[in-house]
Amino acid sequence: MTKFNGKNNLKTSKLAFERAKYRLEAFEVDHPHVYNMGFAERTFYGRVNRLLEPVVVKEEFLKEITVAGQDVSSHRALNFVVDQFMDMEDHFAKACRMGVIPTDDPILSSLKIKRAYENPAIGFKTTSESSMKKILDGFIMKHKAQINTFQDFTRLFVDHYLHSDISETVILSDYMKSHNSNVFQSGLALDIAGLDFSNDALKEEQMFNSPAFNYYINIAKQYGFRVDQNNPGVLISDLDSPVTATYRRRYLLTTVSSVFDLQYNKTIFKDLDLLQKLLIDTYNSYVNLNPYNTYYKSCNDNTRASITNIIYISNIDYNSILNIYINMRNFFEGLPLSPSSRKQISQTALNIAKHDREKALLFIEDQFKAFYNQKDGSLTYFIKRTNKT
């Protein structure tokens, strides 16, 4: 019988008890490199830079992971992370040959990658299109009579979104800081076990009970990896580790900041184009289903029909998309800005954009950045709660 029995299908109170028991007792010894990667800003590790700005990997810096007996092209991670893992895997292979660890452990005798880098563009596309479909089917289609133009469509769309309980974002920056995203989209994480995050009994049976588990935990630190407390089969490159620094330097990444500066892109520079495409595609899909509106007007005993054709669009003017973006971004950041503040930010950004649109986006990012560590669930949030008690 297993000691840990947490699973997502349990009742809330029972699940909370089991999760707390797991966190307190699963690791018999406190290891400084075993982290609860679901706590506060750690949740977004590798998906935000040192300033908490959302980022995505530049895929040209990904490297294939070549492990004996495994498809060489099936998994990728950032170049220095692959180097770390390959050296760790080689260390395990030698330990196995020397009899230091068992040769028949299904997971730890030979380290194999079950999950690695996942392209966030794919996840974002799925999430954002799902969100738009919910709005289109659940709200827009019920208010067809109010829509004759794209302006009508976006007005209804934004107003409904800002007053709905939809959790799926339509902005990449917010997606990278949402629970729809995951650590494997960072290029820094590797899963060598393939275990269900929610199944604590399985982790106990296949990891904690393995005679090679303590060896695995110690060797992970030796090669600069963090181990996810919530799923010990997941290794995450510790960018602050002196060991990782030696691997980083092979690629001229002398500081942690340089990793984000050179091997990642800020999502703010992709946001507007992606949002614009999403709105245009959704609107044109709507027009395809509803090419015109018919209005009837009665005069004496006569009824006249008036038909308004609804026109497809191919682009959105910059002023409009910027205003939509600021309002949507404010919503997903927890509504930190008042209407007057948003209006002022919009006016300033538009003035900057006349000379440099990239600087205008950075200006907008700076306005929201001031609130990043104030949100519910941040480290600052937990400190404040602790101080109150």
Side-chain angles (χ1 to χ4, degrees):
M1 183 175 178
T2 56
K3 181 179 179 181
F4 306 113
N5 299 293
K7 203 170 184 180
N8 285 349
N9 61 0
L10 296 176
K11 290 183 178 180
T12 304
S13 57
K14 175 65 173 174
L15 179 60
F17 171 80
E18 289 293 342
R19 294 294 191 228
K21 181 180 179 183
Y22 174 90
R23 283 193 297 270
L24 291 171
E25 301 178 15
F27 290 84
E28 296 176 356
V29 178
D30 287 333
H31 300 278
H33 64 296
V34 175
Y35 284 79
N36 177 0
M37 298 302 293
F39 176 72
E41 284 84 358
R42 285 183 199 150
T43 305
F44 311 122
Y45 184 82
R47 288 165 284 154
V48 297
N49 61 19
R50 288 304 219 207
L51 299 176
L52 300 182
E53 298 167 323
V55 294
V56 289
V57 171
K58 294 180 182 179
E59 293 202 344
E60 62 263 35
F61 294 108
L62 294 173
K63 187 175 178 180
E64 293 178 350
I65 304 170
T66 55
V67 177
Q70 189 166 13
D71 184 352
V72 298
S73 62
S74 59
H75 296 292
R76 297 182 297 166
L78 281 173
N79 42 27
F80 62 90
V81 179
V82 174
D83 292 352
Q84 283 177 271
F85 177 76
M86 294 308 299
D87 284 351
M88 179 176 170
E89 190 272 338
D90 185 59
H91 190 126
F92 257 76
K94 290 176 181 176
C96 207
R97 288 196 298 268
M98 295 172 62
V100 177
I101 57 176
T103 59
D104 58 352
D105 190 291
I107 294 174
L108 298 178
S109 288
S110 177
L111 301 185
K112 296 287 192 296
I113 299 298
K114 304 297 194 302
R115 190 177 179 188
Y117 172 73
E118 296 173 356
N119 188 343
I122 297 172
F124 172 69
K125 186 175 187 292
T126 301
T127 297
S128 58
E129 289 181 352
S130 170
S131 179
M132 294 300 283
K133 188 176 188 306
K134 286 179 182 177
I135 293 177
L136 186 63
D137 295 344
F139 182 75
I140 297 294
M141 296 298 288
K142 296 176 182 178
H143 295 80
K144 294 185 289 185
Q146 300 179 44
I147 301 175
N148 292 316
T149 65
F150 178 72
Q151 288 70 29
D152 295 334
F153 176 85
T154 54
R155 174 178 50 79
L156 281 173
F157 163 75
V158 173
D159 185 65
H160 176 67
Y161 214 119
L162 300 185
H163 295 89
S164 73
D165 59 356
I166 296 174
S167 61
E168 297 153 317
T169 181
V170 293
I171 294 174
L172 179 61
S173 287
D174 297 308
Y175 170 79
M176 295 306 291
K177 297 193 301 175
S178 76
H179 293 290
N180 292 308
S181 179
N182 65 70
V183 71
F184 295 100
Q185 294 171 346
S186 70
L188 300 173
L190 304 169
D191 185 356
I192 55 96
L195 303 179
D196 183 353
F197 271 76
S198 70
N199 192 331
D200 293 344
L202 201 60
K203 300 168 201 172
E204 181 179 357
E205 290 170 356
Q206 298 197 29
M207 292 292 290
F208 296 126
N209 290 345
S210 168
F213 181 70
N214 287 333
Y215 187 83
Y216 161 75
I217 291 293
N218 292 328
I219 296 302
K221 181 182 180 182
Q222 185 174 324
Y223 285 93
F225 283 106
R226 294 181 178 186
V227 175
D228 189 345
Q229 181 188 54
N230 300 308
N231 192 340
V234 176
L235 298 166
I236 305 107
S237 179
D238 186 348
L239 295 176
D240 289 310
S241 166
V243 180
T244 304
T246 64
Y247 289 96
R248 286 195 279 104
R249 282 195 288 270
R250 295 179 185 179
Y251 301 93
L252 305 180
L253 304 171
T254 55
T255 65
V256 173
S257 293
S258 68
V259 174
F260 292 106
D261 291 341
L262 298 174
Q263 297 203 348
Y264 289 80
N265 283 318
K266 292 182 181 180
T267 54
I268 184 73
F269 299 127
K270 298 175 179 285
D271 282 346
L272 285 193
D273 288 343
L274 290 170
L275 179 60
Q276 176 171 260
K277 184 180 186 305
L278 196 61
L279 289 171
I280 289 173
D281 288 350
T282 305
Y283 174 74
N284 286 340
S285 294
Y286 169 81
V287 176
N288 192 48
L289 296 171
N290 305 274
Y292 59 85
N293 269 334
T294 303
Y295 301 96
Y296 297 95
K297 185 177 181 180
S298 297
C299 183
N300 296 326
D301 293 331
N302 297 319
T303 299
R304 294 182 177 181
S306 173
I307 297 176
T308 300
N309 291 317
I310 306 176
I311 309 300
Y312 292 99
I313 65 165
S314 58
N315 59 72
I316 307 173
D317 71 89
Y318 189 78
N319 289 20
S320 296
I321 193 66
L322 199 70
N323 281 316
I324 293 170
Y325 177 73
I326 290 171
N327 282 313
M328 297 297 291
R329 190 75 189 273
N330 187 61
F331 172 73
F332 288 114
E333 293 294 346
L335 303 173
L337 298 172
S338 66
S340 60
S341 295
R342 296 199 301 275
K343 183 177 180 180
Q344 185 176 6
I345 290 168
S346 179
Q347 290 173 342
T348 304
L350 287 171
N351 287 332
I352 297 172
K354 293 175 183 176
H355 308 284
D356 190 324
R357 289 189 174 184
E358 186 171 297
K359 286 184 178 178
L361 292 173
L362 290 173
F363 167 76
I364 294 171
E365 182 69 22
D366 284 343
Q367 310 315 302
F368 288 109
K369 193 190 305 179
F371 302 99
Y372 284 169
N373 64 355
Q374 303 297 321
K375 293 175 67 174
D376 287 359
S378 67
L379 182 59
T380 303
Y381 165 81
F382 286 110
I383 290 173
K384 287 181 178 177
R385 282 189 59 182
T386 302
N387 289 341
K388 284 182 181 179
T389 59

